[in-house]
PDB file of all heavy atoms in Angstrom:
ATOM      1  N   ARG A   1      11.392   6.717 -40.167  1.00 91.00           N
ATOM      2  CA  ARG A   1      10.506   7.862 -40.379  1.00 91.00           C
ATOM      3  C   ARG A   1      10.524   8.819 -39.190  1.00 91.00           C
ATOM      4  O   ARG A   1      10.493  10.043 -39.366  1.00 91.00           O
ATOM      5  CB  ARG A   1       9.088   7.390 -40.688  1.00 91.00           C
ATOM      6  CG  ARG A   1       8.929   6.909 -42.129  1.00 91.00           C
ATOM      7  CD  ARG A   1       7.499   6.574 -42.446  1.00 91.00           C
ATOM      8  NE  ARG A   1       7.118   5.280 -41.895  1.00 91.00           N
ATOM      9  CZ  ARG A   1       5.888   4.962 -41.507  1.00 91.00           C
ATOM     10  NH1 ARG A   1       4.915   5.864 -41.574  1.00 91.00           N
ATOM     11  NH2 ARG A   1       5.618   3.764 -41.046  1.00 91.00           N
ATOM     12  N   ILE A   2      10.592   8.271 -37.974  1.00 93.00           N
ATOM     13  CA  ILE A   2      10.694   9.174 -36.818  1.00 93.00           C
ATOM     14  C   ILE A   2      12.073   9.837 -36.821  1.00 93.00           C
ATOM     15  O   ILE A   2      12.230  10.992 -36.400  1.00 93.00           O
ATOM     16  CB  ILE A   2      10.432   8.440 -35.483  1.00 93.00           C
ATOM     17  CG1 ILE A   2      10.021   9.432 -34.380  1.00 93.00           C
ATOM     18  CG2 ILE A   2      11.632   7.639 -35.023  1.00 93.00           C
ATOM     19  CD1 ILE A   2       8.696  10.067 -34.576  1.00 93.00           C
ATOM     20  N   GLY A   3      13.076   9.119 -37.347  1.00 93.00           N
ATOM     21  CA  GLY A   3      14.405   9.708 -37.486  1.00 93.00           C
ATOM     22  C   GLY A   3      14.413  10.852 -38.476  1.00 93.00           C
ATOM     23  O   GLY A   3      15.053  11.886 -38.252  1.00 93.00           O
ATOM     24  N   LEU A   4      13.684  10.685 -39.569  1.00 92.00           N
ATOM     25  CA  LEU A   4      13.579  11.764 -40.546  1.00 92.00           C
ATOM     26  C   LEU A   4      12.831  12.947 -39.937  1.00 92.00           C
ATOM     27  O   LEU A   4      13.193  14.111 -40.166  1.00 92.00           O
ATOM     28  CB  LEU A   4      12.863  11.265 -41.801  1.00 92.00           C
ATOM     29  CG  LEU A   4      12.750  12.242 -42.970  1.00 92.00           C
ATOM     30  CD1 LEU A   4      14.113  12.758 -43.389  1.00 92.00           C
ATOM     31  CD2 LEU A   4      12.054  11.573 -44.152  1.00 92.00           C
ATOM     32  N   ALA A   5      11.819  12.655 -39.128  1.00 94.00           N
ATOM     33  CA  ALA A   5      11.071  13.728 -38.462  1.00 94.00           C
ATOM     34  C   ALA A   5      11.976  14.523 -37.525  1.00 94.00           C
ATOM     35  O   ALA A   5      11.923  15.759 -37.483  1.00 94.00           O
ATOM     36  CB  ALA A   5       9.879  13.157 -37.701  1.00 94.00           C
ATOM     37  N   GLN A   6      12.848  13.834 -36.759  1.00 94.00           N
ATOM     38  CA  GLN A   6      13.733  14.569 -35.848  1.00 94.00           C
ATOM     39  C   GLN A   6      14.750  15.381 -36.616  1.00 94.00           C
ATOM     40  O   GLN A   6      15.178  16.443 -36.163  1.00 94.00           O
ATOM     41  CB  GLN A   6      14.412  13.619 -34.852  1.00 94.00           C
ATOM     42  CG  GLN A   6      15.444  12.645 -35.409  1.00 94.00           C
ATOM     43  CD  GLN A   6      16.800  13.250 -35.691  1.00 94.00           C
ATOM     44  OE1 GLN A   6      17.187  14.236 -35.069  1.00 94.00           O
ATOM     45  NE2 GLN A   6      17.523  12.677 -36.648  1.00 94.00           N
ATOM     46  N   ALA A   7      15.142  14.902 -37.815  1.00 94.00           N
ATOM     47  CA  ALA A   7      16.078  15.671 -38.639  1.00 94.00           C
ATOM     48  C   ALA A   7      15.436  16.950 -39.157  1.00 94.00           C
ATOM     49  O   ALA A   7      16.130  17.907 -39.505  1.00 94.00           O
ATOM     50  CB  ALA A   7      16.579  14.822 -39.804  1.00 94.00           C
ATOM     51  N   LEU A   8      14.105  16.970 -39.195  1.00 94.00           N
ATOM     52  CA  LEU A   8      13.366  18.122 -39.726  1.00 94.00           C
ATOM     53  C   LEU A   8      12.818  19.036 -38.624  1.00 94.00           C
ATOM     54  O   LEU A   8      12.208  20.056 -38.925  1.00 94.00           O
ATOM     55  CB  LEU A   8      12.190  17.630 -40.578  1.00 94.00           C
ATOM     56  CG  LEU A   8      12.543  16.843 -41.840  1.00 94.00           C
ATOM     57  CD1 LEU A   8      11.306  16.137 -42.382  1.00 94.00           C
ATOM     58  CD2 LEU A   8      13.130  17.761 -42.894  1.00 94.00           C
ATOM     59  N   ILE A   9      13.055  18.678 -37.369  1.00 94.00           N
ATOM     60  CA  ILE A   9      12.374  19.351 -36.267  1.00 94.00           C
ATOM     61  C   ILE A   9      12.676  20.848 -36.224  1.00 94.00           C
ATOM     62  O   ILE A   9      11.812  21.664 -35.897  1.00 94.00           O
ATOM     63  CB  ILE A   9      12.744  18.688 -34.907  1.00 94.00           C
ATOM     64  CG1 ILE A   9      11.821  19.179 -33.789  1.00 94.00           C
ATOM     65  CG2 ILE A   9      14.196  18.889 -34.566  1.00 94.00           C
ATOM     66  CD1 ILE A   9      10.415  18.693 -33.897  1.00 94.00           C
ATOM     67  N   ASN A  10      13.893  21.238 -36.579  1.00 91.00           N
ATOM     68  CA  ASN A  10      14.269  22.653 -36.497  1.00 91.00           C
ATOM     69  C   ASN A  10      14.086  23.383 -37.819  1.00 91.00           C
ATOM     70  O   ASN A  10      14.675  24.440 -38.037  1.00 91.00           O
ATOM     71  CB  ASN A  10      15.725  22.785 -36.034  1.00 91.00           C
ATOM     72  CG  ASN A  10      16.704  22.126 -37.005  1.00 91.00           C
ATOM     73  OD1 ASN A  10      16.367  21.137 -37.630  1.00 91.00           O
ATOM     74  ND2 ASN A  10      17.906  22.667 -37.120  1.00 91.00           N
ATOM     75  N   GLU A  11      13.269  22.797 -38.722  1.00 92.00           N
ATOM     76  CA  GLU A  11      12.974  23.388 -40.024  1.00 92.00           C
ATOM     77  C   GLU A  11      14.254  23.723 -40.805  1.00 92.00           C
ATOM     78  O   GLU A  11      14.477  24.865 -41.208  1.00 92.00           O
ATOM     79  CB  GLU A  11      12.105  24.646 -39.858  1.00 92.00           C
ATOM     80  CG  GLU A  11      10.788  24.360 -39.170  1.00 92.00           C
ATOM     81  CD  GLU A  11       9.893  25.580 -39.081  1.00 92.00           C
ATOM     82  OE1 GLU A  11       9.459  26.059 -40.146  1.00 92.00           O
ATOM     83  OE2 GLU A  11       9.657  26.049 -37.964  1.00 92.00           O
ATOM     84  N   PRO A  12      15.112  22.724 -41.023  1.00 93.00           N
ATOM     85  CA  PRO A  12      16.379  22.970 -41.716  1.00 93.00           C
ATOM     86  C   PRO A  12      16.174  23.220 -43.202  1.00 93.00           C
ATOM     87  O   PRO A  12      15.192  22.792 -43.791  1.00 93.00           O
ATOM     88  CB  PRO A  12      17.158  21.665 -41.485  1.00 93.00           C
ATOM     89  CG  PRO A  12      16.078  20.622 -41.416  1.00 93.00           C
ATOM     90  CD  PRO A  12      14.935  21.289 -40.704  1.00 93.00           C
ATOM     91  N   ARG A  13      17.145  23.893 -43.798  1.00 94.00           N
ATOM     92  CA  ARG A  13      17.151  24.073 -45.245  1.00 94.00           C
ATOM     93  C   ARG A  13      17.925  22.957 -45.944  1.00 94.00           C
ATOM     94  O   ARG A  13      17.745  22.732 -47.133  1.00 94.00           O
ATOM     95  CB  ARG A  13      17.761  25.425 -45.605  1.00 94.00           C
ATOM     96  CG  ARG A  13      16.933  26.617 -45.177  1.00 94.00           C
ATOM     97  CD  ARG A  13      17.459  27.894 -45.806  1.00 94.00           C
ATOM     98  NE  ARG A  13      18.749  28.284 -45.233  1.00 94.00           N
ATOM     99  CZ  ARG A  13      19.616  29.099 -45.845  1.00 94.00           C
ATOM    100  NH1 ARG A  13      19.355  29.575 -47.047  1.00 94.00           N
ATOM    101  NH2 ARG A  13      20.748  29.437 -45.242  1.00 94.00           N
ATOM    102  N   LEU A  14      18.805  22.280 -45.192  1.00 96.00           N
ATOM    103  CA  LEU A  14      19.601  21.178 -45.719  1.00 96.00           C
ATOM    104  C   LEU A  14      19.438  19.978 -44.808  1.00 96.00           C
ATOM    105  O   LEU A  14      19.560  20.094 -43.582  1.00 96.00           O
ATOM    106  CB  LEU A  14      21.082  21.571 -45.789  1.00 96.00           C
ATOM    107  CG  LEU A  14      22.082  20.441 -46.070  1.00 96.00           C
ATOM    108  CD1 LEU A  14      21.913  19.904 -47.485  1.00 96.00           C
ATOM    109  CD2 LEU A  14      23.517  20.928 -45.848  1.00 96.00           C
ATOM    110  N   VAL A  15      19.157  18.810 -45.404  1.00 95.00           N
ATOM    111  CA  VAL A  15      19.044  17.569 -44.629  1.00 95.00           C
ATOM    112  C   VAL A  15      20.066  16.580 -45.171  1.00 95.00           C
ATOM    113  O   VAL A  15      20.118  16.324 -46.380  1.00 95.00           O
ATOM    114  CB  VAL A  15      17.628  16.977 -44.717  1.00 95.00           C
ATOM    115  CG1 VAL A  15      17.559  15.648 -43.961  1.00 95.00           C
ATOM    116  CG2 VAL A  15      16.604  17.954 -44.146  1.00 95.00           C
ATOM    117  N   VAL A  16      20.887  16.041 -44.282  1.00 95.00           N
ATOM    118  CA  VAL A  16      21.919  15.068 -44.636  1.00 95.00           C
ATOM    119  C   VAL A  16      21.460  13.695 -44.161  1.00 95.00           C
ATOM    120  O   VAL A  16      21.148  13.514 -42.973  1.00 95.00           O
ATOM    121  CB  VAL A  16      23.271  15.434 -43.990  1.00 95.00           C
ATOM    122  CG1 VAL A  16      24.331  14.391 -44.340  1.00 95.00           C
ATOM    123  CG2 VAL A  16      23.713  16.824 -44.453  1.00 95.00           C
ATOM    124  N   LEU A  17      21.420  12.740 -45.072  1.00 93.00           N
ATOM    125  CA  LEU A  17      20.919  11.402 -44.776  1.00 93.00           C
ATOM    126  C   LEU A  17      21.984  10.372 -45.129  1.00 93.00           C
ATOM    127  O   LEU A  17      22.482  10.346 -46.256  1.00 93.00           O
ATOM    128  CB  LEU A  17      19.647  11.102 -45.569  1.00 93.00           C
ATOM    129  CG  LEU A  17      18.489  12.095 -45.449  1.00 93.00           C
ATOM    130  CD1 LEU A  17      17.365  11.714 -46.404  1.00 93.00           C
ATOM    131  CD2 LEU A  17      17.972  12.148 -44.020  1.00 93.00           C
ATOM    132  N   ASP A  18      22.333   9.521 -44.177  1.00 90.00           N
ATOM    133  CA  ASP A  18      23.308   8.456 -44.412  1.00 90.00           C
ATOM    134  C   ASP A  18      22.557   7.133 -44.493  1.00 90.00           C
ATOM    135  O   ASP A  18      22.067   6.630 -43.496  1.00 90.00           O
ATOM    136  CB  ASP A  18      24.334   8.433 -43.278  1.00 90.00           C
ATOM    137  CG  ASP A  18      25.555   7.571 -43.608  1.00 90.00           C
ATOM    138  OD1 ASP A  18      25.587   6.980 -44.705  1.00 90.00           O
ATOM    139  OD2 ASP A  18      26.468   7.503 -42.775  1.00 90.00           O
ATOM    140  N   GLU A  19      22.452   6.589 -45.700  1.00 86.00           N
ATOM    141  CA  GLU A  19      21.729   5.329 -45.953  1.00 86.00           C
ATOM    142  C   GLU A  19      20.318   5.381 -45.341  1.00 86.00           C
ATOM    143  O   GLU A  19      19.986   4.600 -44.442  1.00 86.00           O
ATOM    144  CB  GLU A  19      22.507   4.137 -45.380  1.00 86.00           C
ATOM    145  CG  GLU A  19      23.908   3.972 -45.934  1.00 86.00           C
ATOM    146  CD  GLU A  19      23.932   3.475 -47.379  1.00 86.00           C
ATOM    147  OE1 GLU A  19      22.856   3.181 -47.923  1.00 86.00           O
ATOM    148  OE2 GLU A  19      25.028   3.390 -47.947  1.00 86.00           O
ATOM    149  N   PRO A  20      19.463   6.274 -45.816  1.00 85.00           N
ATOM    150  CA  PRO A  20      18.166   6.495 -45.160  1.00 85.00           C
ATOM    151  C   PRO A  20      17.204   5.315 -45.225  1.00 85.00           C
ATOM    152  O   PRO A  20      16.265   5.263 -44.431  1.00 85.00           O
ATOM    153  CB  PRO A  20      17.600   7.695 -45.918  1.00 85.00           C
ATOM    154  CG  PRO A  20      18.275   7.670 -47.253  1.00 85.00           C
ATOM    155  CD  PRO A  20      19.663   7.164 -46.977  1.00 85.00           C
ATOM    156  N   THR A  21      17.406   4.384 -46.159  1.00 82.00           N
ATOM    157  CA  THR A  21      16.466   3.250 -46.261  1.00 82.00           C
ATOM    158  C   THR A  21      17.129   1.923 -45.937  1.00 82.00           C
ATOM    159  O   THR A  21      16.588   0.862 -46.268  1.00 82.00           O
ATOM    160  CB  THR A  21      15.850   3.186 -47.671  1.00 82.00           C
ATOM    161  OG1 THR A  21      16.885   3.022 -48.647  1.00 82.00           O
ATOM    162  CG2 THR A  21      15.058   4.442 -47.987  1.00 82.00           C
ATOM    163  N   ALA A  22      18.280   1.945 -45.293  1.00 76.00           N
ATOM    164  CA  ALA A  22      18.986   0.704 -44.967  1.00 76.00           C
ATOM    165  C   ALA A  22      18.141  -0.171 -44.048  1.00 76.00           C
ATOM    166  O   ALA A  22      17.687   0.270 -42.996  1.00 76.00           O
ATOM    167  CB  ALA A  22      20.325   1.023 -44.307  1.00 76.00           C
ATOM    168  N   GLY A  23      17.917  -1.409 -44.452  1.00 76.00           N
ATOM    169  CA  GLY A  23      17.176  -2.362 -43.632  1.00 76.00           C
ATOM    170  C   GLY A  23      15.679  -2.174 -43.613  1.00 76.00           C
ATOM    171  O   GLY A  23      14.975  -2.838 -42.852  1.00 76.00           O
ATOM    172  N   VAL A  24      15.161  -1.268 -44.444  1.00 78.00           N
ATOM    173  CA  VAL A  24      13.722  -0.988 -44.468  1.00 78.00           C
ATOM    174  C   VAL A  24      13.063  -1.807 -45.567  1.00 78.00           C
ATOM    175  O   VAL A  24      13.629  -1.973 -46.652  1.00 78.00           O
ATOM    176  CB  VAL A  24      13.472   0.518 -44.697  1.00 78.00           C
ATOM    177  CG1 VAL A  24      11.982   0.827 -44.701  1.00 78.00           C
ATOM    178  CG2 VAL A  24      14.181   1.337 -43.626  1.00 78.00           C
ATOM    179  N   ASP A  25      11.856  -2.317 -45.305  1.00 78.00           N
ATOM    180  CA  ASP A  25      11.162  -3.135 -46.296  1.00 78.00           C
ATOM    181  C   ASP A  25      10.677  -2.264 -47.458  1.00 78.00           C
ATOM    182  O   ASP A  25      10.706  -1.029 -47.384  1.00 78.00           O
ATOM    183  CB  ASP A  25      10.001  -3.905 -45.663  1.00 78.00           C
ATOM    184  CG  ASP A  25       8.906  -2.996 -45.106  1.00 78.00           C
ATOM    185  OD1 ASP A  25       8.728  -1.872 -45.616  1.00 78.00           O
ATOM    186  OD2 ASP A  25       8.208  -3.425 -44.174  1.00 78.00           O
ATOM    187  N   PRO A  26      10.252  -2.885 -48.577  1.00 79.00           N
ATOM    188  CA  PRO A  26       9.877  -2.111 -49.765  1.00 79.00           C
ATOM    189  C   PRO A  26       8.813  -1.045 -49.509  1.00 79.00           C
ATOM    190  O   PRO A  26       8.905   0.069 -50.037  1.00 79.00           O
ATOM    191  CB  PRO A  26       9.383  -3.183 -50.737  1.00 79.00           C
ATOM    192  CG  PRO A  26      10.155  -4.408 -50.362  1.00 79.00           C
ATOM    193  CD  PRO A  26      10.267  -4.340 -48.869  1.00 79.00           C
ATOM    194  N   ALA A  27       7.799  -1.378 -48.700  1.00 78.00           N
ATOM    195  CA  ALA A  27       6.749  -0.398 -48.434  1.00 78.00           C
ATOM    196  C   ALA A  27       7.298   0.792 -47.657  1.00 78.00           C
ATOM    197  O   ALA A  27       6.992   1.960 -47.954  1.00 78.00           O
ATOM    198  CB  ALA A  27       5.602  -1.052 -47.669  1.00 78.00           C
ATOM    199  N   GLY A  28       8.120   0.517 -46.654  1.00 78.00           N
ATOM    200  CA  GLY A  28       8.715   1.598 -45.880  1.00 78.00           C
ATOM    201  C   GLY A  28       9.676   2.432 -46.709  1.00 78.00           C
ATOM    202  O   GLY A  28       9.741   3.658 -46.566  1.00 78.00           O
ATOM    203  N   THR A  29      10.416   1.755 -47.582  1.00 81.00           N
ATOM    204  CA  THR A  29      11.341   2.462 -48.474  1.00 81.00           C
ATOM    205  C   THR A  29      10.586   3.395 -49.402  1.00 81.00           C
ATOM    206  O   THR A  29      10.994   4.545 -49.627  1.00 81.00           O
ATOM    207  CB  THR A  29      12.151   1.449 -49.300  1.00 81.00           C
ATOM    208  OG1 THR A  29      12.986   0.685 -48.410  1.00 81.00           O
ATOM    209  CG2 THR A  29      13.030   2.140 -50.320  1.00 81.00           C
ATOM    210  N   ARG A  30       9.468   2.921 -49.944  1.00 83.00           N
ATOM    211  CA  ARG A  30       8.649   3.740 -50.826  1.00 83.00           C
ATOM    212  C   ARG A  30       8.153   4.981 -50.101  1.00 83.00           C
ATOM    213  O   ARG A  30       8.173   6.087 -50.645  1.00 83.00           O
ATOM    214  CB  ARG A  30       7.464   2.905 -51.327  1.00 83.00           C
ATOM    215  CG  ARG A  30       6.464   3.617 -52.217  1.00 83.00           C
ATOM    216  CD  ARG A  30       7.039   3.879 -53.582  1.00 83.00           C
ATOM    217  NE  ARG A  30       7.688   5.185 -53.657  1.00 83.00           N
ATOM    218  CZ  ARG A  30       8.563   5.512 -54.592  1.00 83.00           C
ATOM    219  NH1 ARG A  30       8.913   4.649 -55.513  1.00 83.00           N
ATOM    220  NH2 ARG A  30       9.096   6.701 -54.612  1.00 83.00           N
ATOM    221  N   ALA A  31       7.748   4.808 -48.848  1.00 84.00           N
ATOM    222  CA  ALA A  31       7.235   5.935 -48.068  1.00 84.00           C
ATOM    223  C   ALA A  31       8.332   6.967 -47.821  1.00 84.00           C
ATOM    224  O   ALA A  31       8.091   8.178 -47.913  1.00 84.00           O
ATOM    225  CB  ALA A  31       6.667   5.435 -46.745  1.00 84.00           C
ATOM    226  N   ILE A  32       9.543   6.510 -47.521  1.00 85.00           N
ATOM    227  CA  ILE A  32      10.651   7.431 -47.254  1.00 85.00           C
ATOM    228  C   ILE A  32      11.044   8.178 -48.521  1.00 85.00           C
ATOM    229  O   ILE A  32      11.279   9.397 -48.502  1.00 85.00           O
ATOM    230  CB  ILE A  32      11.853   6.663 -46.666  1.00 85.00           C
ATOM    231  CG1 ILE A  32      11.498   6.156 -45.260  1.00 85.00           C
ATOM    232  CG2 ILE A  32      13.092   7.552 -46.619  1.00 85.00           C
ATOM    233  CD1 ILE A  32      12.498   5.189 -44.680  1.00 85.00           C
ATOM    234  N   CYS A  33      11.110   7.469 -49.649  1.00 88.00           N
ATOM    235  CA  CYS A  33      11.441   8.122 -50.920  1.00 88.00           C
ATOM    236  C   CYS A  33      10.394   9.172 -51.288  1.00 88.00           C
ATOM    237  O   CYS A  33      10.740  10.275 -51.749  1.00 88.00           O
ATOM    238  CB  CYS A  33      11.560   7.081 -52.032  1.00 88.00           C
ATOM    239  SG  CYS A  33      13.024   6.029 -51.916  1.00 88.00           S
TER     240      CYS A  33
END
């Protein structure tokens, strides 16, 4: 989630995510989705 926040820091129009929920538990995965 902090990684997603840093990807958004410059207010991008396009965000590229490589396996964004890899190794994350179900609750964390739900939050990211």
Side-chain angles (χ1 to χ4, degrees):
R1 282 185 282 150
I2 201 68
L4 184 56
Q6 69 78 27
L8 296 166
I9 192 70
N10 61 328
E11 301 184 65
R13 293 191 290 159
L14 169 68
V15 177
V16 179
L17 306 174
D18 193 359
E19 301 288 356
T21 60
V24 181
D25 63 28
T29 295
R30 177 72 269 161
I32 292 170
C33 289

